[in-house]
Amino acid sequence: MKVTIDNPASAPQPLSPYYSQVARVEQADGSALLFVSGQIAEGETLAEQSRGVFETIDALLKAHGGTLADIINIRTYLTDIDRLQEYGAVRREFLTGTPPTSMTFEVPKLFRPQARIEVEVVAAVRPGSQDSRGSRGSRPAD
């Protein structure tokens, strides 16, 4: 098993130098699991932030040969669970196939005070998908 920790140059860079955005776990059959760290985005409304989050996740997955359709698990952290329907409407714009397994939590605050949402995902990329990272700071992990 090979694990690569990555911040792909082709995707928006992390907001802090203290974490990596993607852990890629290569499987024996040529497939890979992608663990994408929690993403936040700018915007005034929850809908704007949600769109930004999914656009970033899409870019991170594409950098590793994946798509939003490859997401198998999603964890969402909202600062106001009463806004779940607003987030859900945006999520359905981006995740149009079979829904992944999911957990949603209400939290008092996030990494950035203005953040209303943070989303992390796990994706299963099929064998033969190209790893097109062109990454910056990629390093193998044992």
Side-chain angles (χ1 to χ4, degrees), residues 44-106:
E44 292 297 317
T45 67
L46 176 60
E48 289 171 350
Q49 289 186 16
S50 298
R51 281 188 186 86
V53 163
F54 280 107
E55 289 166 357
T56 298
I57 291 170
D58 187 37
L60 291 167
L61 295 176
K62 283 180 179 171
H64 283 269
T67 70
L68 292 170
D70 295 321
I71 294 173
I72 59 172
N73 181 265
I74 185 168
R75 287 188 197 104
T76 304
Y77 304 88
L78 296 171
T79 58
D80 183 356
I81 200 74
D82 291 336
R83 311 289 299 272
L84 182 61
Q85 287 187 352
E86 183 179 353
Y87 160 68
V90 174
R91 177 178 150 159
R92 286 187 296 277
E93 291 174 22
F94 287 88
L95 303 181
T96 59
T98 302
T101 63
S102 178
M103 295 176 71
T104 303
F105 306 90
E106 182 177 41

Side-chain angles (χ1 to χ4, degrees), residues 1-141:
M1 174 174 62
K2 178 182 173 189
V3 178
T4 305
I5 306 297
D6 187 36
N7 289 318
S10 61
Q13 293 302 293
L15 298 173
S16 166
Y18 302 111
Y19 71 96
S20 296
Q21 291 175 292
V22 180
R24 182 184 180 96
V25 181
E26 302 288 339
Q27 305 297 305
D29 68 354
S31 64
L33 291 175
L34 305 177
F35 296 85
V36 177
S37 65
Q39 301 295 314
I40 64 173
E42 295 192 13
E44 292 297 317
T45 67
L46 176 60
E48 289 171 350
Q49 289 186 16
S50 298
R51 281 188 186 86
V53 163
F54 280 107
E55 289 166 357
T56 298
I57 291 170
D58 187 37
L60 291 167
L61 295 176
K62 283 180 179 171
H64 283 269
T67 70
L68 292 170
D70 295 321
I71 294 173
I72 59 172
N73 181 265
I74 185 168
R75 287 188 197 104
T76 304
Y77 304 88
L78 296 171
T79 58
D80 183 356
I81 200 74
D82 291 336
R83 311 289 299 272
L84 182 61
Q85 287 187 352
E86 183 179 353
Y87 160 68
V90 174
R91 177 178 150 159
R92 286 187 296 277
E93 291 174 22
F94 287 88
L95 303 181
T96 59
T98 302
T101 63
S102 178
M103 295 176 71
T104 303
F105 306 90
E106 182 177 41
V107 296
K109 60 183 174 177
L110 294 163
F111 176 144
R112 297 277 168 117
Q114 68 276 20
R116 299 170 188 222
I117 184 170
E118 184 168 347
V119 177
E120 64 179 311
V121 302
V122 177
V125 180
R126 293 167 187 75
S129 296
Q130 290 300 100
D131 178 2
S132 60
R133 279 178 290 194
S135 61
R136 205 180 314 161
S138 177
R139 61 182 167 87

